[in-house]
């Protein structure tokens, strides 16, 4: 476990260095989410104590409702919610762990965020599993993913067991690979027509932030509403501050 953690750290450092040029000027959405939450907090500090106590109570109630809804697999906002996520770590063999994947709580970085979303808004949580496993070792995966991107590949994925276009709200998570979405996400968006659906992207990265992928999704799904997503550095998963950033992003979304 210690070795795995060290390997992840070394890989994260390697990728941070190799991507420093593209990522140095960008701030993660997680960080900017925190900033805007601080602004909101500062404004609400002006409100009366009674109002604060009331809203704290409401928040408490909402949290309970959310947890209950998540437990029942229902959404907490009266809409059908689906949370889909792709990571190289997603394989048909549940025990596989990719050394190219930053981990937290035994899951890939993308899955870690997907789990927080699910715990808080409920709905169905489904991994996008490639029909052919990706290489698990970093260098091999990097070469493989680069070739796939350069060839315009459309790798297949396993049956999701649901029709994602039949949901009201679809969270879609993925890592940035070679400055873009992994090509399997192109297959995914080619496969479904999300007209009338609200798509909420989230992604992990090592410096590229969302890499322009939220705009790419808007182009691929021009009849869907694509909200601004959340970009989180892989090295930040597992931290309390990152969890808070995810929660404050969720609270800021107009899901009703
Ligand atoms: C093949 C490959 C290519 C990557 N390319 C980028 C990139 O262009 N920009 C970036 O910021 N991070 C890049 N990364 C880093 C991943 O986005 C980051 O490690 C992410 O947290 C991985 O998500 P996962 O934990 O679900 O695998 C790349 C990682 C891999 C394996």
């Amino acid at each position: 476990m210690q070795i795995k953690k060290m390997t992840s750290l070394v890989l994260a450092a390697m990728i941070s260095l190799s991507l420093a040029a593209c990522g140095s000027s960008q701030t993660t959405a997680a960080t900017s989410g925190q900033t805007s939450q601080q602004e909101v907090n500062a404004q609400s500090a002006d409100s009366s104590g009674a109002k604060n106590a009331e809203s704290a109570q409401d928040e408490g109630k909402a949290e309970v409702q959310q947890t209950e809804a998540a437990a029942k697999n229902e959404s907490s906002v009266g809409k059908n919610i689906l949370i889909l996520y792709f990571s190289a770590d997603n394989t048909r063999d549940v025990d596989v762990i990719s050394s190219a994947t930053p981990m937290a709580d035994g899951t890939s970085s993308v899955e870690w965020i997907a789990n927080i979303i699910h715990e808080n808004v409920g709905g169905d949580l489904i991994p996008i599993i490639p029909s052919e496993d990706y290489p698990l070792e970093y260098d091999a995966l990097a070469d493989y993913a680069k070739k796939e991107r350069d060839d315009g590949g459309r790798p297949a994925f396993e049956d999701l067991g649901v029709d994602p276009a039949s949901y009201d709200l679809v969270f879609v998570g993925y890592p940035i690979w070679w400055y873009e979405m992994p090509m399997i996400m192109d297959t995914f968006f080619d496969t479904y027509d999300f007209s009338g659906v609200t798509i909420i992207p989230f992604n992990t990265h090592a410096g590229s932030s969302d890499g322009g992928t939220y705009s790419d999704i808007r182009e691929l799904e021009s009849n869907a509403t694509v909200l601004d997503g959340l970009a989180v550095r892989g090295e930040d998963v597992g931290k309390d501050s990152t969890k808070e950033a995810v929660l404050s992003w969720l609270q800021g979304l107009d899901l009703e």
Side-chain angles (χ1 to χ4, degrees):
M1 184 56 103
Q2 200 61 22
I3 291 170
K4 208 180 291 158
K5 212 172 178 184
M6 296 245 324
T7 312
S8 294
L9 284 172
V10 171
L11 288 166
M14 278 167 56
I15 219 166
S16 292
L17 282 174
S18 67
L19 295 165
C22 70
S24 56
S25 64
Q26 284 168 323
T27 315
T28 62
T31 314
S32 57
Q34 269 174 312
T35 309
S36 61
Q37 189 61 32
Q38 280 161 4
E39 283 162 10
V40 172
N41 290 346
Q43 281 167 8
S44 60
D46 291 329
S47 313
S48 72
K51 199 174 162 199
N52 284 343
E54 203 177 283
S55 69
Q57 218 175 5
D58 285 349
E59 271 169 32
K61 271 189 212 154
E63 227 169 79
V64 173
Q65 277 167 3
Q66 285 174 347
T67 311
E68 283 173 357
K72 285 187 219 146
N73 239 29
E74 289 166 4
S75 83
S76 60
V77 294
K79 291 193 173 171
N80 290 324
I81 296 184
L82 175 62
I83 303 154
L84 289 166
Y85 63 96
F86 167 73
S87 162
D89 206 39
N90 294 355
T91 67
R92 280 159 293 176
D93 177 351
V94 289
D95 291 329
V96 167
I97 293 177
S98 167
S99 67
T101 297
M103 305 286 292
D105 303 335
T107 71
S108 69
S109 59
V110 171
E111 187 175 355
W112 186 80
I113 300 167
N115 285 339
I116 296 174
I117 297 171
H118 184 236
E119 280 159 20
N120 284 276
V121 303
D124 293 329
L125 176 69
I126 299 180
I128 297 174
I129 298 179
S131 299
E132 210 168 297
D133 291 350
Y134 279 93
L136 297 176
E137 187 272 321
Y138 179 78
D139 285 342
L141 177 59
D143 291 348
Y144 190 97
K146 186 165 188 301
K147 185 171 184 325
E148 195 167 78
R149 185 201 64 172
D150 293 347
D151 293 349
R154 287 291 183 276
F157 56 88
E158 297 290 281
D159 184 9
L160 298 172
V162 298
D163 173 11
S166 69
Y167 287 76
D168 303 316
L169 302 174
V170 182
F171 288 84
V172 183
Y174 50 86
I176 298 295
W177 280 2
W178 293 107
Y179 315 104
E180 295 177 5
M181 286 187 288
M183 300 311 289
I184 198 166
M185 299 311 301
D186 289 78
T187 315
F188 171 76
F189 287 114
D190 285 353
T191 305
Y192 301 103
D193 176 357
F194 284 103
S195 296
V197 176
T198 298
I199 297 174
I200 310 170
F202 61 98
N203 72 279
T204 55
H205 65 99
S208 294
S209 193
D210 81 288
T213 55
Y214 307 156
S215 306
D216 295 340
I217 297 171
R218 283 188 187 104
E219 269 178 38
L220 293 168
E221 297 294 340
S222 54
N223 294 318
T225 301
V226 182
L227 303 187
D228 276 338
L230 181 76
V232 173
R233 277 184 184 265
E235 67 193 32
D236 289 337
V237 297
K239 296 179 184 169
D240 287 348
S241 57
T242 309
K243 185 168 185 181
E244 278 161 27
V246 176
L247 294 178
S248 94
W249 168 67
L250 284 173
Q251 277 162 12
L253 294 171
D254 186 15
L255 300 182
E256 303 290 333

